[in-house]
Amino acid sequence: MKNAFHILTKEEVSEKNKKLFEKMEKSFGKIPNLYNVMAYSEHALEAYLTLEDSSTSLSPREVEAVNLVVSQVNNCIYCLSAHTLIARSTGIGENAALAIRGGTIPSDPKLDALVKLAKEITEKKGQIDPKLLTAFFEAGYTKENLVDLIMLIGDRTISNLLHAVTEVPVDFPLAKELV
């Protein structure tokens, strides 16, 4: 499968995707390779961007913590690299990012409950230890937060799977490996 998906030029995508590319270039200064691959579909890029832009009850810091742990479980170097960079803007430094990827962040008990639950949901496909769900709620999270967490896990899993199958080049500084 390697190299079966090349990076598309604007001339190779639909008119609808050209407009989305232009918006991304204005926002990001580039079109990230994984989004580029979504443009092989007439509909996927727009649908995915809509999902990515959806509101959530989780804070940006919580979102990035979930993105990191889910991408680690799914072994997606592309998303780990992108979200390690993005996480910095939410106050998650390199050491905290590595801890989160490992499935815990003891310095922040509330975030720790979120990360542990996200990891368990991802690893066990929803068949979780009820104690983790209890800890999540006891940490102050709500049922709305739980639903939003599951949506976020789905969002990240889509990108993780897309990278695993297409193997597009990572166009972000590579995330460090966990030891």
Side-chain angles (χ1 to χ4, degrees), residues 65-73 80 95-123 132 178-179:
V66 172
N67 287 335
L68 288 168
V69 72
V70 170
S71 296
Q72 183 65 49
V73 169
L80 285 170
N95 290 337
L98 290 168
I100 289 166
R101 288 172 50 197
T104 187
I105 183 78
S107 62
D108 185 334
K110 186 174 183 184
L111 194 60
D112 189 58
L114 175 72
V115 167
K116 285 178 178 170
L117 184 59
K119 183 176 191 255
E120 180 96 345
I121 290 170
T122 306
E123 285 179 338
L132 290 174
L178 283 185
V179 279

Side-chain angles (χ1 to χ4, degrees), residues 1-8 30-37 40 76-79 81-82 162-174:
M1 179 61 80
K2 202 159 184 93
N3 299 324
F5 286 81
H6 70 276
I7 303 304
L8 298 168
K30 68 176 189 174
I31 300 152
N33 288 346
L34 201 61
Y35 290 164
N36 181 292
V37 167
Y40 273 91
C76 181
I77 189 61
Y78 189 97
C79 292
S81 299
L162 186 63
H163 185 261
V165 173
T166 64
E167 300 178 329
V168 295
V170 178
D171 52 343
F172 295 95
L174 287 178

